[in-house]
Amino acid sequence: MTMQALVLEKTRTLSLRDIVIDERLGARDVRVRIHTVGVCGSDVHYYQHGAIGPFVVREPMVLGHEAAGVVEEVGSGVTTLKVGDRVCMEPGVPDPHGRATRLGLYNLDPAIRFWATPPVHGCLRPYVVHPEAFTFRLPDNVSFGEGAMVEPFAVGLHAASKARIKPGDVAVVLGAGPIGMLTALAALAGGCGRVFITDVKAPKLALAASLGPITPVNVLEASLAQEVSRATGGWGADVVFDAVGLPGSCAEAIGAARPGGCIVMIGMPGAPVPFDVVAAQVKELRIETIFRYAHVFPRALSLMEGRRVDLRPLITDRFAFADSIAAFDFASAMKPMSVKVQIELG
Amino acid sequence: MTMQALVLEKTRTLSLRDIVIDERLGARDVRVRIHTVGVCGSDVHYYQHGAIGPFVVREPMVLGHEAAGVVEEVGSGVTTLKVGDRVCMEPGVPDPHGRATRLGLYNLDPAIRFWATPPVHGCLRPYVVHPEAFTFRLPDNVSFGEGAMVEPFAVGLHAASKARIKPGDVAVVLGAGPIGMLTALAALAGGCGRVFITDVKAPKLALAASLGPITPVNVLEASLAQEVSRATGGWGADVVFDAVGLPGSCAEAIGAARPGGCIVMIGMPGAPVPFDVVAAQVKELRIETIFRYAHVFPRALSLMEGRRVDLRPLITDRFAFADSIAAFDFASAMKPMSVKVQIELG
Amino acid sequence: MTMQALVLEKTRTLSLRDIVIDERLGARDVRVRIHTVGVCGSDVHYYQHGAIGPFVVREPMVLGHEAAGVVEEVGSGVTTLKVGDRVCMEPGVPDPHGRATRLGLYNLDPAIRFWATPPVHGCLRPYVVHPEAFTFRLPDNVSFGEGAMVEPFAVGLHAASKARIKPGDVAVVLGAGPIGMLTALAALAGGCGRVFITDVKAPKLALAASLGPITPVNVLEASLAQEVSRATGGWGADVVFDAVGLPGSCAEAIGAARPGGCIVMIGMPGAPVPFDVVAAQVKELRIETIFRYAHVFPRALSLMEGRRVDLRPLITDRFAFADSIAAFDFASAMKPMSVKVQIELG
Amino acid sequence: MTMQALVLEKTRTLSLRDIVIDERLGARDVRVRIHTVGVCGSDVHYYQHGAIGPFVVREPMVLGHEAAGVVEEVGSGVTTLKVGDRVCMEPGVPDPHGRATRLGLYNLDPAIRFWATPPVHGCLRPYVVHPEAFTFRLPDNVSFGEGAMVEPFAVGLHAASKARIKPGDVAVVLGAGPIGMLTALAALAGGCGRVFITDVKAPKLALAASLGPITPVNVLEASLAQEVSRATGGWGADVVFDAVGLPGSCAEAIGAARPGGCIVMIGMPGAPVPFDVVAAQVKELRIETIFRYAHVFPRALSLMEGRRVDLRPLITDRFAFADSIAAFDFASAMKPMSVKVQIELG
């Protein structure tokens, strides 16, 4: 099938051009007409650098993995979706027979095929064929734009799940980038009573603070450990989410956590970071690490349907499909007040 | 120390009269001037029946265990509270050396002394002496009335904790009485995306539905299992809270739960109920039971401070301390739209 | 493919006769020559009654679901097994695309196909084709007989997993039948320090007591609650496994458990049983229910390889394949000292 | 009270001399005549270096914290122990009113008083007064020597508890020192099916391999990751215990763990270690840290009573009280085949 798509030809070279995509509709698949696609930091990273760690773009590849659209065709065995359903899609499809998949840990399946991770094409194109099991109907009050936000929100929500939040926990999120903000919202939606968020950029902190009971801490001006200590009677935060992954963030996380607390590592440092094991031991901290997410999309949609979380303030910039390259250039030099760029295929 | 108190003299006989209370301020205690006291179903039950199960009122006893007030004096070893602090109190004080207490399960300590559980006096009186460890400072934006709501809310929040909610879970609450409504709010604050609540009284269901993404199900008119099944694609609810404790509620809970789901038994049936073990087994349900709460008050206050939960709509009726007996008579024949009666000692 | 099999023609009628089995070797399948098959209570029940609950034998069906054998052929995509491997098999194969399966709860998949559950043929025949993912290599020191014990042991081990045993827990097992004994061994292997087991038959209790630190309690002569209370300083058992499923066992389990303890319901009562909710609540008990098992076979084999559990004493009676009908008649009127009957196809 | 004790006067100076100990028997205390005391690495470290991290020996201090003995006197409120009981003692006594203690995390209480941690005297002396709640009766089949092993075993058992072992898990223990060996035994007793243990000294590995299904890996000669991978079909270990705390052990632990596995950090590195966060993330590892132990002594005794664990092979060297200084000099230059040195006060 030939269609127009946003193709990363090689590092720093994008084309909006026709491409042949070989996708056949299986019995348990649906064909979805794409409506909105969000631009993720990883898309921009492939655009700028042509690779993320071991994943190297060697052939032209369609970008995009945060998508919402409309079901246009269903396979013969599909039972839960029908033509016309508004949906969003989980971009990674595992081997159902893999050992990790059978255990429910499908995000850890080494054979997973994930949109816009070389050599798998992404979704910045008019149509995709996708398994029913990884396609989710949008509630009526959830827009396509919000639907395309489910994917990055799922990262924060998976982190919140791993933390095993108890209702009323106090959380800290290190970093007020897109994932940091989404994690703060996920922490609140997941049961936290309040969240401290750190950054060095005042506009980001101001935006974060407007989203709920979120206390900004500008670490250029204040000590996170002191702020949390003061607010918790010297006890510390129940959960600390590291959404930056810098060399110093591990120590910062340990310092802010309470005895018996938990740290969730979301950010991916480029090299090993120093880990003060004894500092963690005297508090008996639990450290969770996450890789993408699993089983989270229906939960995200449930929270969005009931407005327990509102992602709309984070959709800050929209572009038409015809302007996709401009969208990527905009996203490559993002302004402090911009959080999420989306491309609408209309 | 002599003070005026609401005394249950014997079944159906209340006096507002002077009584001598023998309480000394220990090193780790605070003296609190009581401001607001909520009337609980158990208070009313002692008033009407003189006993709850094995707990029989044999001597005159002051009623009340849901209280907020102001610290007036602190013991020599108190470090976290000071005179003038607005506070609420946990009504049960365990033996710190008991085996359950050491494990953190202090609510299960058989030696616990609990306000207004015979023979321990309650808090419908101007002053109480209470351990610092079970006295909690109110955030500035939490009123005394809300402070006195923490105790019943703690029951719902403890149930939500036991359920180990994952963010975005779908919950069912059986029964829209005060505890049912508080549990619905606790489930949402604790991470659920939406809640179904059942009752047979339309006004209660209407009030519940106004509190958030809460879907009322009048079980005189509709089938809970069918409503939940339709909303979840035939899957079922992740968590079912039984806040009624009727003979049929166990079966109703099992029917509404999803495979691998959880039921939390909050209501206390008067006699053993039928339990269809095989129906639970084919879904591998987990059934949690709760007894009061433990470690929940600070969590409740954290959620209230951040307005992740708003208990104010449930404070429906207020009486002056001088009208305490009228308050109990009102609470003994509660109207459908009344949820919580509070007495203000001002 | 035509082969000789033990066929349940109808209630109380068994034949050892040729039957055509339509099984093709898929890419991820193996063909296994059966060596040993254990006789389960459910096989006997189908033989005697022709049905278990809603599962009714309407057509001739091969019996047997506890099997070990040797791989004779492997599909083109098989990577973990090779011809000549000694193996045992998990008898239930779920739909890999089902919702429960994706969550890792494949035992709850309604589309599961389970040997010797109508209308699916069992394994009392020379050959079976089975998915690689549900076929497990036997360690060198594990015999075919022990391999065929993995299936019933898996039930006990799954129960032990659900209990979330902490090392050194004290357990109670209600009932010293085959599943009770296997559960007692699973509890010990899973971390318990000691186990109390109940029954009314002295020979069974004597056998159980010989298997490890297992204290027999003949409930015709002694009170379980008193024995456990005495041994635990009045505290109670951390975990109680109900392997009988009688109307009174729920109350017995609650009575023996400690505050904060756990009950696992293994036995399947024929009708709803009385459940004293308040008695469970004052101890805040957690009640787990199980349905077969999931992800347990490799764990069982690991424990058997290291001799952390020894199932050999429970294989009490062996029959040749030619004597299969005699084996079933023997198992239908089992002696107290017999635990497991196995049929060897040699 | 004046008594003869082993006193650390200052770095490298021990005396066996009279000392005045000011201990009064409270209502919930017992007086214990000490029978056996184990020598711990921390005792030896104080002897050699006069300090461990921030804990500096500034005044003469009695050493020893691994003890068993006989109750000689009981306080007026003691209910669970009587004169003549053989017991072992938990060396740390927390403030029952501390926040961590109330949560059940008493090992994290900053006010804990722990034997032979400056300035608190240890137990290498004829008598100690100790709270009933931290004194545990020895089963009849557990010797004083084994009783004095409960304390170091508790560290391993606490680590095994934190790992949340599922029955049949495969474990790795890094390091075959005393704590490594005790952790390997705790892992098996706690439900593991087999354990890999690493070291660079052949005699230690040989001893470890004799204790159960424990596979030694000499990391001078073989690759741990390869050995584990081969044994687990390329999957990895469910749990890895780091009992060395070297800079490289974090990476070694990550490399040996399976997707979704767990690492428990027991060893205490002297400085921050490199942590490859991304390597942990792609497996979504959980990392637990421990500090001593809590609630473990009764569990250890339960496992010892039922012989689910046998600590006797690890008691390799015994000295009389009069030879205590020689015992410390022996322990300061331990031979490879020596694991635990004990001093008997008989």
Side-chain angles (χ1 to χ4, degrees):
Chain A
M1 191 172 179
T2 302
M3 61 182 91
Q4 195 185 36
L6 184 71
V7 180
L8 177 62
E9 307 289 0
K10 57 179 185 177
T11 306
R12 305 203 190 198
T13 307
L14 285 170
S15 319
L16 196 62
R17 63 145 164 109
D18 276 1
I19 191 169
V20 176
I21 304 275
D22 180 28
E23 283 180 336
R24 259 154 281 182
L25 188 78
R28 299 218 192 200
D29 293 332
V30 294
R31 182 181 311 276
V32 176
R33 183 162 49 82
I34 299 294
H35 183 287
T36 300
V37 177
V39 177
C40 172
S42 72
D43 294 308
V44 173
H45 200 277
Y46 281 122
Y47 174 34
Q48 295 295 325
H49 303 285
I52 295 179
F55 295 99
V56 180
V57 178
R58 301 186 195 281
E59 311 256 315
M61 179 182 81
V62 178
L63 289 177
H65 63 267
E66 308 175 354
V70 178
V71 174
E72 287 226 333
E73 190 181 356
V74 300
S76 59
V78 168
T79 60
T80 64
L81 293 170
K82 61 182 193 306
V83 171
D85 278 349
R86 299 164 63 254
V87 295
C88 65
M89 285 80 73
E90 208 168 322
V93 179
D95 173 2
H97 301 285
R99 184 161 180 177
T101 306
R102 280 205 310 278
L103 284 165
L105 309 170
Y106 63 78
N107 52 326
L108 308 183
D109 175 30
I112 200 167
R113 290 176 54 85
F114 198 97
W115 281 344
T117 299
V120 182
H121 284 309
C123 61
L124 267 161
R125 48 180 162 123
Y127 292 97
V128 296
V129 169
H130 210 65
E132 171 190 23
F134 294 90
T135 305
F136 303 90
R137 213 170 61 77
L138 300 180
D140 293 343
N141 64 341
V142 172
S143 67
F144 288 113
E146 290 168 277
M149 287 294 282
V150 170
E151 201 279 339
F153 180 54
V155 174
L157 207 57
H158 190 55
S161 272
K162 283 273 180 181
R164 284 180 259 143
I165 292 166
K166 285 192 179 175
D169 269 355
V170 173
V172 166
V173 176
L174 303 181
I179 292 296
M181 290 205 203
L182 287 162
T183 301
L185 292 177
L188 290 171
C192 287
R194 66 182 298 190
V195 175
F196 292 82
I197 195 165
T198 67
D199 210 292
V200 296
K201 298 209 174 144
K204 290 186 177 192
L205 289 168
L207 174 56
S210 73
L211 300 173
I214 297 175
T215 305
V217 179
N218 190 325
V219 289
L220 295 180
E221 300 164 5
S223 151
L224 172 67
Q226 279 178 23
E227 295 296 313
V228 171
S229 180
R230 176 159 37 220
T232 58
W235 182 241
D238 300 286
V239 184
V240 182
F241 298 95
D242 174 9
V244 291
L246 291 172
S249 55
C250 190
E252 196 158 20
I254 293 172
R258 71 159 170 94
C262 171
I263 294 173
V264 185
M265 311 294 277
I266 307 170
M268 305 181 82
V273 301
F275 174 23
D276 187 342
V277 175
V278 176
Q281 284 171 327
V282 298
K283 291 182 177 179
E284 272 199 354
L285 300 182
R286 170 171 56 96
I287 299 167
E288 299 277 353
T289 62
I290 66 158
F291 186 66
R292 294 170 180 159
Y293 42 75
H295 308 297
V296 169
F297 271 53
R299 301 177 169 285
L301 290 168
S302 164
L303 290 165
M304 292 160 77
E305 180 174 18
R307 290 280 174 241
R308 295 299 298 172
V309 69
D310 186 354
L311 306 180
R312 291 171 297 185
L314 302 183
I315 307 172
T316 49
D317 303 276
R318 288 183 185 80
F319 290 78
F321 186 42
D323 303 323
S324 288
I325 298 175
F328 268 76
D329 288 330
F330 177 90
S332 300
M334 199 100 115
K335 298 168 193 163
M337 287 304 286
S338 285
V339 179
K340 176 56 67 181
V341 174
Q342 289 189 336
I343 296 171
E344 292 175 341
L345 287 82
Chain B
M1 192 173 179
T2 301
M3 60 182 92
Q4 195 185 38
L6 183 72
V7 181
L8 177 62
E9 307 290 359
K10 57 179 187 179
T11 305
R12 305 204 191 197
T13 307
L14 285 170
S15 318
L16 195 62
R17 61 140 164 113
D18 277 0
I19 190 168
V20 176
I21 304 275
D22 181 28
E23 283 179 338
R24 258 153 281 182
L25 188 79
R28 299 217 191 202
D29 292 333
V30 295
R31 183 181 310 278
V32 176
R33 183 161 50 83
I34 299 294
H35 183 287
T36 299
V37 177
V39 177
C40 172
S42 71
D43 295 308
V44 172
H45 200 276
Y46 280 122
Y47 174 35
Q48 295 295 326
H49 304 284
I52 295 180
F55 296 100
V56 180
V57 178
R58 301 186 193 283
E59 312 256 313
M61 180 181 82
V62 179
L63 289 176
H65 63 268
E66 307 174 355
V70 178
V71 174
E72 287 229 332
E73 191 181 356
V74 301
S76 58
V78 169
T79 60
T80 63
L81 293 171
K82 60 182 194 306
V83 171
D85 279 349
R86 301 163 61 254
V87 295
C88 66
M89 284 81 73
E90 208 168 322
V93 180
D95 173 3
H97 301 285
R99 183 161 181 176
T101 306
R102 280 205 310 279
L103 284 165
L105 308 170
Y106 63 78
N107 53 326
L108 308 183
D109 175 29
I112 200 167
R113 290 176 54 84
F114 198 97
W115 281 344
T117 299
V120 182
H121 284 310
C123 61
L124 267 162
R125 47 180 164 122
Y127 292 97
V128 297
V129 168
H130 210 65
E132 171 190 23
F134 295 90
T135 305
F136 303 89
R137 210 170 62 76
L138 300 181
D140 292 344
N141 65 341
V142 172
S143 68
F144 287 113
E146 288 168 277
M149 287 295 281
V150 171
E151 202 278 339
F153 180 54
V155 174
L157 207 55
H158 190 56
S161 272
K162 284 273 181 180
R164 283 181 260 145
I165 292 167
K166 286 193 177 172
D169 270 356
V170 173
V172 166
V173 176
L174 303 181
I179 291 295
M181 289 204 203
L182 287 162
T183 300
L185 292 176
L188 290 171
C192 287
R194 66 182 298 189
V195 175
F196 292 80
I197 195 164
T198 68
D199 211 290
V200 296
K201 297 209 175 144
K204 291 187 178 193
L205 289 168
L207 175 54
S210 74
L211 300 173
I214 298 175
T215 306
V217 179
N218 191 325
V219 289
L220 295 180
E221 300 164 5
S223 151
L224 172 65
Q226 279 178 20
E227 295 295 314
V228 171
S229 180
R230 177 158 37 216
T232 59
W235 182 241
D238 301 285
V239 185
V240 182
F241 298 95
D242 174 8
V244 291
L246 291 172
S249 54
C250 190
E252 196 158 17
I254 293 171
R258 72 159 169 95
C262 172
I263 295 172
V264 185
M265 311 293 278
I266 307 170
M268 305 180 82
V273 301
F275 174 24
D276 187 342
V277 175
V278 175
Q281 284 171 327
V282 297
K283 291 182 176 178
E284 272 201 355
L285 300 182
R286 170 171 56 96
I287 300 167
E288 299 277 353
T289 62
I290 67 159
F291 186 64
R292 293 169 180 159
Y293 42 74
H295 309 297
V296 169
F297 271 52
R299 301 177 171 286
L301 290 168
S302 164
L303 290 165
M304 292 159 76
E305 180 175 16
R307 289 280 175 243
R308 295 299 298 171
V309 69
D310 187 355
L311 305 181
R312 290 170 299 185
L314 302 184
I315 307 173
T316 49
D317 303 275
R318 290 183 183 80
F319 289 79
F321 187 42
D323 302 324
S324 289
I325 298 175
F328 268 76
D329 287 332
F330 178 90
S332 301
M334 198 98 117
K335 299 168 194 164
M337 285 304 286
S338 286
V339 179
K340 176 57 66 179
V341 175
Q342 289 189 334
I343 296 171
E344 292 176 341
L345 286 83
Chain C
M1 192 171 179
T2 301
M3 61 182 91
Q4 196 185 37
L6 184 71
V7 180
L8 177 62
E9 309 288 0
K10 56 179 185 177
T11 306
R12 304 204 190 198
T13 307
L14 284 171
S15 320
L16 195 62
R17 62 144 165 111
D18 276 0
I19 190 170
V20 176
I21 304 274
D22 181 27
E23 282 179 338
R24 258 153 281 183
L25 188 79
R28 300 217 191 200
D29 292 333
V30 294
R31 183 181 311 277
V32 176
R33 184 162 48 84
I34 299 294
H35 182 288
T36 300
V37 177
V39 177
C40 172
S42 71
D43 294 309
V44 173
H45 201 277
Y46 281 123
Y47 174 35
Q48 295 294 326
H49 304 285
I52 295 180
F55 296 99
V56 180
V57 179
R58 301 185 195 282
E59 311 257 313
M61 179 181 82
V62 179
L63 289 177
H65 63 268
E66 307 175 354
V70 178
V71 174
E72 288 227 332
E73 190 182 358
V74 300
S76 58
V78 168
T79 61
T80 63
L81 294 170
K82 61 182 192 305
V83 172
D85 279 349
R86 301 163 62 253
V87 295
C88 66
M89 284 80 73
E90 208 168 322
V93 179
D95 174 2
H97 301 286
R99 184 162 181 176
T101 305
R102 280 204 311 277
L103 284 165
L105 309 170
Y106 63 77
N107 54 325
L108 308 183
D109 175 30
I112 201 167
R113 289 176 54 85
F114 199 96
W115 281 344
T117 299
V120 182
H121 284 309
C123 61
L124 267 162
R125 47 181 163 122
Y127 292 97
V128 297
V129 169
H130 210 65
E132 171 190 22
F134 295 90
T135 305
F136 303 90
R137 213 171 60 77
L138 299 181
D140 292 345
N141 65 341
V142 171
S143 67
F144 288 113
E146 288 167 277
M149 287 295 280
V150 171
E151 201 278 340
F153 180 54
V155 174
L157 207 56
H158 190 56
S161 272
K162 283 273 181 181
R164 283 182 258 143
I165 292 166
K166 285 192 179 175
D169 269 356
V170 173
V172 166
V173 176
L174 303 182
I179 291 295
M181 290 205 203
L182 288 162
T183 300
L185 292 176
L188 290 170
C192 287
R194 66 182 299 190
V195 175
F196 292 81
I197 195 165
T198 68
D199 211 291
V200 296
K201 298 210 174 142
K204 291 186 178 193
L205 289 168
L207 174 56
S210 74
L211 299 173
I214 298 175
T215 306
V217 179
N218 190 326
V219 289
L220 295 179
E221 299 164 5
S223 151
L224 171 67
Q226 279 178 21
E227 294 296 314
V228 172
S229 180
R230 176 158 39 218
T232 58
W235 182 240
D238 299 287
V239 185
V240 182
F241 298 95
D242 174 10
V244 291
L246 291 173
S249 55
C250 190
E252 196 157 20
I254 293 172
R258 72 159 169 94
C262 172
I263 294 172
V264 185
M265 311 295 276
I266 306 170
M268 304 180 83
V273 302
F275 174 23
D276 187 342
V277 175
V278 175
Q281 284 171 327
V282 298
K283 292 182 175 178
E284 271 199 354
L285 300 182
R286 170 171 57 95
I287 300 166
E288 298 276 355
T289 62
I290 66 159
F291 185 66
R292 295 171 180 157
Y293 41 75
H295 309 296
V296 169
F297 271 53
R299 302 177 168 286
L301 290 168
S302 164
L303 290 165
M304 292 159 77
E305 179 175 18
R307 289 282 174 239
R308 294 298 298 170
V309 70
D310 187 355
L311 305 181
R312 291 171 297 186
L314 303 183
I315 307 171
T316 49
D317 303 276
R318 288 181 185 81
F319 289 79
F321 187 43
D323 303 323
S324 288
I325 298 174
F328 268 76
D329 287 331
F330 178 90
S332 301
M334 199 100 116
K335 298 170 194 163
M337 286 304 286
S338 285
V339 180
K340 175 57 66 181
V341 174
Q342 289 188 336
I343 295 171
E344 292 175 340
L345 286 82
Chain D
M1 191 171 180
T2 301
M3 60 182 90
Q4 195 186 37
L6 184 72
V7 180
L8 177 62
E9 307 289 0
K10 57 178 186 179
T11 306
R12 304 204 190 196
T13 306
L14 285 171
S15 317
L16 195 62
R17 63 143 163 110
D18 276 0
I19 191 169
V20 176
I21 304 274
D22 180 28
E23 283 179 337
R24 257 153 281 184
L25 187 79
R28 298 215 191 202
D29 294 332
V30 295
R31 184 181 309 278
V32 176
R33 182 161 50 81
I34 299 294
H35 182 287
T36 299
V37 177
V39 177
C40 173
S42 72
D43 294 309
V44 173
H45 201 276
Y46 280 122
Y47 174 35
Q48 295 294 327
H49 303 285
I52 295 180
F55 296 100
V56 181
V57 178
R58 302 186 194 283
E59 312 257 313
M61 180 181 82
V62 179
L63 289 177
H65 64 266
E66 307 175 353
V70 177
V71 173
E72 287 228 333
E73 190 181 356
V74 300
S76 59
V78 168
T79 59
T80 64
L81 294 169
K82 61 181 192 307
V83 172
D85 278 350
R86 301 163 62 254
V87 295
C88 66
M89 284 81 72
E90 207 169 322
V93 179
D95 173 3
H97 301 285
R99 183 161 179 176
T101 306
R102 281 205 310 278
L103 283 165
L105 308 170
Y106 63 78
N107 53 326
L108 308 182
D109 176 29
I112 200 166
R113 290 176 54 83
F114 198 96
W115 281 344
T117 299
V120 182
H121 284 309
C123 61
L124 266 163
R125 48 180 163 121
Y127 291 97
V128 297
V129 169
H130 210 66
E132 171 191 23
F134 294 90
T135 305
F136 303 90
R137 211 170 63 76
L138 299 180
D140 291 344
N141 64 342
V142 172
S143 67
F144 287 113
E146 289 168 277
M149 287 294 282
V150 172
E151 202 278 340
F153 180 54
V155 174
L157 207 56
H158 190 55
S161 272
K162 283 273 181 180
R164 283 181 257 143
I165 292 166
K166 286 193 179 174
D169 269 356
V170 173
V172 166
V173 176
L174 303 182
I179 291 296
M181 290 205 203
L182 287 162
T183 300
L185 292 176
L188 290 171
C192 287
R194 65 182 298 191
V195 175
F196 292 82
I197 195 165
T198 68
D199 212 291
V200 296
K201 298 207 174 146
K204 291 186 177 193
L205 289 168
L207 174 54
S210 74
L211 299 173
I214 298 175
T215 305
V217 179
N218 191 325
V219 288
L220 295 179
E221 300 164 3
S223 151
L224 172 66
Q226 279 178 20
E227 294 296 313
V228 172
S229 180
R230 177 159 36 218
T232 58
W235 182 240
D238 300 286
V239 185
V240 182
F241 298 95
D242 174 9
V244 291
L246 291 173
S249 54
C250 190
E252 197 158 18
I254 293 171
R258 73 159 168 94
C262 172
I263 294 172
V264 186
M265 311 295 277
I266 307 170
M268 305 179 82
V273 302
F275 174 23
D276 187 341
V277 175
V278 175
Q281 284 171 328
V282 297
K283 291 182 176 178
E284 273 200 354
L285 300 182
R286 170 171 56 96
I287 300 167
E288 298 277 353
T289 63
I290 66 158
F291 187 65
R292 294 170 181 159
Y293 41 75
H295 309 296
V296 168
F297 271 52
R299 301 177 169 286
L301 290 168
S302 164
L303 290 165
M304 292 160 77
E305 180 175 17
R307 289 281 174 240
R308 295 299 299 171
V309 70
D310 186 354
L311 305 181
R312 291 171 299 185
L314 301 184
I315 307 173
T316 50
D317 303 275
R318 289 183 184 79
F319 290 79
F321 187 41
D323 303 323
S324 288
I325 298 175
F328 268 75
D329 288 330
F330 178 90
S332 301
M334 198 98 119
K335 297 169 194 164
M337 286 304 287
S338 285
V339 179
K340 176 57 67 181
V341 175
Q342 288 189 335
I343 296 171
E344 293 175 340
L345 286 81

